[in-house]
Amino acid sequence: MAEVCPRCENCYAYFNTYCELDQWAWNCSLCGTLNGLDSEAIARYSHPQSCAEMMSSFIDLELPMEGSDEEMMQACPVYVAAVDLSSSEEFLELTKSALQAALEALAPGSLFGLATFSHKMGLYDVQGPIPVVKNVFIPPDMEGTLPTELEDVMPLSQFLAPVETCKDRITAALDTLRPTTSWERTTGAGQGLDGVLMGGRGFGVAMEALFKYLGSEYGNTFALARVFAFISGPPDYGAGQLDTRRYGEQYASKGEDADRALLPEQTPFYKDLAAVAVQAGVCVDIFAVTNEYTDLASLKFLSIESGGTLFLYSNTDDSTLPQDMYRMLSRPYAFGCILRLRTSSEFKPGHSYGHFFPDPQYENVQHIICCDSFATYAYDFDFTSATGFSRYASEQPVLQIAFQYTVVEPPEELSSPRLVSASRGKHLLKRRLRIRTLQFGTARNMNELYDNVDSEVVLSILVHKVILASLEQGVREGRMLLHDWLVILTAQYNDASKIVQFKNGGSLTAQADVAFSQCPQLQPLPRLVFALLRNPLLRFHEEGVHPDYRIYLQCLFSALEPSSLQRAIYPLLTSYSTPDKQAYPRHSLSRAALITSDSPIFFLDAFTTLIVFYSSTADPELPFPPPQDCLLRSTINKLKQERSITPKLIFIRGGQDDASAFENYLIEEQHVDGSGFASVMGFVSFLEDVTQSVLEYMK
């Protein structure tokens, strides 16, 4: 149990394997404080094999739950689907497929509710012989709320149905979903401001009412409710409606920077609503299936600040929504999490990045509403003084991560038969504390530091920083920050390696090394920075980057672990001589690489997209697409299984099919500012520009 793991009286760090221990006391490995041991701890530590914290620096401890046993048993997982009826038949068919997949993935004992929204809100009762829907009209005005409490429309116990006994009736209810007709919308929505006909997607009001409805049973029926919001366009009716006219031609005439204007939210409504969701114990996943401007810059807060995820699909034809839904719900998740970082005295946490929010009272404490094993959080650190780290080996820097979280365990996983029979169909909440303590070596000089660089992690921190900069100051500023960072790093490396030196007259003694030829660990960085500048995340609006897609990428990239993020920024291109034999494990992303390679088959992994490309000179006898039992297919299937989202798989036959989807990823010949294919090759000219900037910086 966690309460028996001693804590430092000064910094509150937990006892760990790096602490010095004697018979009566222990020295904290983080702050050095001498702490006394009570008689119980002394007795425990006389048998170190029985103490997790003495055997490993990575431990999981069970915490006592607050509340009675009966309350702990009432923790049914609750899921609610909120479906947009101001949509098309195709959208509803895709949503139905996704919810069918969800029903297959949900654990026994789960409760499920189905709600709809348009100019009215519908609640479904699927516990009777036939599904019954009850509607309540949404007021059109910006300040409006529902005229009736949802509890009065339908008691929550009627709305939330047990999945295992009602699956067929839930499916029957899904089959009754139809888009609201234009006549219904016109009649229901009526005339809007200035006589303009308003739409009928009352998303904001529906969400607010749903959170209030569910919140009444928070801590009683459920410990966490997940709402799946399926939306086919911007909220355009009632409270929370968004003005999509800001995305259009008027920005050209007003001379505003579209890259900067379309990134901030236009209203705090959805950020405030996320706080309401958290108070009600609700986590929201948004599934936007739309190619029209939906202003995800405003909507995103509802998902990421309530612990959910934002998904964007540009069309219904090749959408991976059902697969993503099943995958998301099949993974175990934790909720009500608290993440605390402690460091030894020479350094301290600087910025923190990820989908969490800081504790209002305590420093370096983050709250995470809901997360799974793919969730990733990043930190950078600052020295506490100009002296940096100690030179003594006995005082190496130490970092301790404490992660407190709750999981719901289904009844069949409970160890005691007595408990199972007493709580048939009920779930048990378990509160746990995971403690990881890490000790690091320190570099004695710059070259040693360079030799230990992890380029994937550096890229990850860079992506977080440029997302922050572009949100605050615009995409152009984010690009400049990235370019300047590479110039300064290259200049410092050249200086430390004594490659470039200026004589008194200002002339230089050697050409700058922008390829980091003496340091293999730094060599990937120029290519990664170039690729990041070519990524839609940082490309300009006039290059055709949709603002919603940019927001989606910001949300996706800020939650990816470093190796996945590198795939998304600089895809991996491999070649095969046959579908069963790999030729080369890695090529640069250039046409030259394709031409100089004799391989007939190329496989590109861009994280969200997988492309198999057969060159136009490939032997016609080679099977296309690759057969299911070959090495290439098994590689593809393995990658798909390991991903947090379902990648789109595309097969292209060069010379016959449109190859632009593949060729767009061959970025090294593209000019870094997006001005098409220059006479000078893109990456080469980028390095020349960096060289000039480095020399200017070093003068």
Side-chain angles (χ1 to χ4, degrees):
M1 296 292 280
E3 67 263 28
V4 297
C5 184
R7 299 184 71 173
C8 175
E9 293 167 5
N10 177 47
C11 71
Y12 300 104
Y14 293 91
F15 177 87
N16 57 81
T17 53
Y18 299 108
C19 297
E20 289 179 17
L21 178 69
D22 63 27
Q23 191 175 356
W24 312 106
W26 58 281
N27 279 86
C28 176
S29 60
L30 278 82
C31 71
T33 300
L34 182 68
N35 296 273
L37 288 171
D38 60 26
S39 55
E40 189 184 339
I42 292 166
R44 282 180 70 243
Y45 288 159
S46 63
H47 303 93
Q49 282 77 13
S50 64
C51 306
E53 66 269 28
M54 290 195 71
M55 300 302 293
S56 173
S57 60
F58 188 11
I59 57 173
D60 251 333
L61 304 169
E62 199 93 1
L63 293 172
M65 286 295 297
E66 293 174 14
S68 67
D69 288 348
E70 184 56 35
E71 281 175 354
M72 283 160 44
M73 288 301 180
Q74 292 289 339
C76 293
V78 167
Y79 303 91
V80 175
V83 182
D84 177 7
L85 295 187
S86 298
S87 57
S88 63
E89 289 281 2
E90 293 78 13
F91 169 84
L92 289 180
E93 283 306 313
L94 179 64
T95 301
K96 289 172 194 176
S97 300
L99 289 173
Q100 293 285 11
L103 292 174
E104 295 306 313
L106 295 183
S110 301
L111 299 177
F112 181 86
L114 176 62
T116 58
F117 61 90
S118 56
H119 62 280
K120 58 187 177 182
M121 186 174 182
L123 301 178
Y124 280 76
D125 177 0
V126 295
Q127 297 185 62
I130 56 163
V132 174
V133 61
K134 292 189 177 177
N135 292 301
V136 54
F137 283 94
I138 294 172
D141 53 295
M142 296 284 281
E143 304 299 321
T145 53
L146 286 186
T148 316
E149 296 285 338
L150 292 185
E151 185 64 38
D152 297 331
V153 177
M154 183 182 293
L156 192 61
S157 57
Q158 240 175 286
F159 175 69
L160 295 175
V163 170
E164 64 262 48
T165 56
C166 297
K167 194 180 284 187
D168 291 344
R169 278 168 286 181
I170 295 168
T171 302
L174 291 173
D175 288 337
T176 66
L177 297 183
R178 296 285 179 274
T180 51
T181 63
S182 54
W183 179 86
E184 267 188 287
R185 262 182 258 179
T186 309
T187 315
Q191 296 294 308
L193 302 169
D194 305 323
V196 177
L197 188 71
M198 296 174 76
R201 193 177 288 112
F203 178 68
V205 177
M207 289 294 107
E208 194 168 23
L210 201 52
F211 302 158
K212 193 174 179 186
Y213 188 34
L214 292 167
S216 62
E217 283 298 306
Y218 176 38
N220 185 9
T221 301
F222 67 88
L224 178 83
R226 295 185 72 166
V227 169
F228 310 131
F230 298 91
I231 192 163
S232 67
D236 55 7
Y237 183 77
Q241 62 185 272
L242 299 171
D243 180 6
T244 56
R245 290 173 300 180
R246 71 177 188 157
Y247 176 62
E249 294 301 315
Q250 76 272 23
Y251 278 96
S253 59
K254 286 183 181 177
E256 293 189 47
D257 179 359
D259 297 305
R260 192 168 178 179
L262 297 170
L263 285 174
E265 72 273 26
Q266 59 171 288
T267 167
F269 182 89
Y270 291 98
K271 197 167 191 169
D272 296 343
L273 197 52
V276 174
V278 170
Q279 290 298 314
V282 175
C283 156
V284 186
D285 298 296
I286 295 178
F287 301 89
V289 186
T290 175
N291 59 2
E292 65 175 305
Y293 177 59
T294 304
D295 192 13
L296 295 184
S298 298
L299 288 177
K300 68 175 181 184
F301 294 104
L302 185 54
S303 58
I304 61 174
E305 294 207 355
S306 69
T309 309
L310 175 69
F311 296 86
L312 175 66
Y313 309 91
S314 58
N315 61 63
T316 54
D317 299 337
D318 54 1
S319 168
T320 54
L321 171 53
Q323 297 93 317
D324 285 340
M325 192 88 192
Y326 184 83
R327 190 166 294 208
M328 181 179 80
L329 293 175
S330 300
R331 295 195 289 263
Y333 61 89
F335 58 93
C337 316
I338 302 169
L339 182 62
R340 173 74 196 245
L341 230 65
R342 291 183 176 90
T343 60
S344 49
S345 54
E346 312 96 328
F347 71 119
K348 61 181 181 182
H351 287 93
S352 55
Y353 309 95
H355 296 171
F356 47 31
F357 60 93
D359 187 277
Q361 190 176 354
Y362 298 104
E363 259 193 318
N364 307 321
V365 177
Q366 308 290 345
H367 292 266
I368 300 160
I369 308 303
C370 182
C371 68
D372 60 25
S373 57
F374 283 101
T376 305
Y377 309 97
Y379 291 83
D380 56 26
F381 299 94
D382 298 320
F383 284 119
T384 50
S385 72
T387 52
F389 291 124
S390 166
R391 298 293 175 195
Y392 302 106
S394 60
E395 295 178 23
Q396 289 182 315
V398 177
L399 172 71
Q400 187 174 83
I401 306 159
F403 181 61
Q404 202 175 117
Y405 62 100
T406 302
V407 289
V408 176
E409 287 195 349
E412 55 265 32
E413 288 183 24
L414 302 182
S415 51
S416 163
R418 184 184 60 78
L419 274 177
V420 172
S421 59
S423 61
R424 193 174 301 281
K426 293 175 183 173
H427 291 62
L428 184 68
L429 289 182
K430 289 281 182 76
R431 189 76 175 159
R432 293 186 181 134
L433 174 65
R434 177 169 292 184
I435 304 167
R436 181 84 193 263
T437 311
L438 300 153
Q439 191 175 61
F440 298 96
T442 54
R444 287 165 296 184
N445 53 55
M446 289 300 288
N447 290 330
E448 199 173 311
L449 184 68
Y450 291 148
D451 288 341
N452 286 280
V453 163
D454 184 327
S455 59
E456 287 182 350
V457 173
V458 172
L459 175 67
S460 184
I461 296 287
L462 280 176
V463 168
H464 282 295
K465 285 182 180 291
V466 296
I467 286 174
L468 211 59
S470 56
L471 281 171
E472 289 173 358
Q473 297 164 290
V475 171
R476 204 170 299 275
E477 187 64 31
R479 291 175 66 88
M480 285 166 59
L481 175 88
L482 190 59
H483 183 273
D484 291 351
W485 176 87
L486 181 62
V487 168
I488 294 166
L489 172 72
T490 311
Q492 288 176 340
Y493 158 80
N494 276 269
D495 188 45
S497 306
K498 311 240 179 320
I499 296 165
V500 174
Q501 289 179 321
F502 284 88
K503 295 176 183 170
N504 290 340
S507 60
L508 57 142
T509 56
Q511 183 67 18
D513 176 11
V514 294
F516 300 103
S517 53
Q518 295 180 19
C519 182
Q521 278 71 26
L522 294 177
Q523 285 168 13
L525 289 172
R527 248 187 186 89
L528 294 176
V529 168
F530 174 79
L532 183 49
L533 289 166
R534 287 303 305 137
N535 191 276
L537 187 75
L538 286 180
R539 266 158 52 191
F540 292 121
H541 185 68
E542 52 264 31
E543 277 193 76
V545 179
H546 196 289
D548 283 341
Y549 184 57
R550 198 194 304 277
I551 293 291
Y552 163 70
L553 288 183
Q554 288 181 353
C555 295
L556 174 67
F557 288 0
S558 56
L560 287 182
E561 50 85 29
S563 62
S564 296
L565 185 56
Q566 176 160 327
R567 285 282 176 280
I569 300 294
Y570 193 93
L572 178 66
L573 181 63
T574 52
S575 60
Y576 287 74
S577 45
T578 71
D580 253 323
K581 187 180 179 189
Q582 190 186 80
Y584 295 102
R586 184 182 292 271
H587 295 273
S588 62
L589 298 176
S590 65
R591 281 177 170 73
L594 269 65
I595 294 163
T596 54
S597 167
D598 296 329
S599 306
I601 303 169
F602 293 88
F603 173 53
L604 183 123
D605 175 7
F607 188 74
T608 55
T609 308
L610 305 175
I611 300 177
V612 176
F613 177 78
Y614 279 49
S615 76
S616 54
T617 56
D619 184 347
E621 297 297 311
L622 284 172
F624 178 88
Q628 289 295 341
D629 57 350
C630 69
L631 172 66
L632 179 51
R633 278 284 191 174
S634 61
T635 303
I636 290 167
N637 292 337
K638 185 171 183 288
L639 287 171
K640 287 171 81 171
Q641 286 302 316
E642 292 168 351
R643 293 278 140 99
S644 55
I645 59 171
T646 312
K648 191 185 291 185
L649 179 59
I650 302 170
F651 296 101
I652 298 173
R653 204 163 199 162
Q656 295 181 33
D657 306 328
D658 177 11
S660 58
F662 177 67
E663 290 168 352
N664 288 341
Y665 284 106
L666 304 178
I667 56 173
E668 294 204 7
E669 282 114 348
Q670 296 172 21
H671 219 300
V672 74
D673 65 358
S675 56
F677 295 94
S679 54
V680 183
M681 287 196 303
F683 183 55
V684 173
S685 111
F686 170 72
L687 289 181
E688 288 171 0
D689 173 60
V690 171
T691 304
Q692 288 305 312
S693 301
V694 166
L695 296 177
E696 287 293 321
Y697 180 82
M698 293 183 76
K699 272 183 183 174

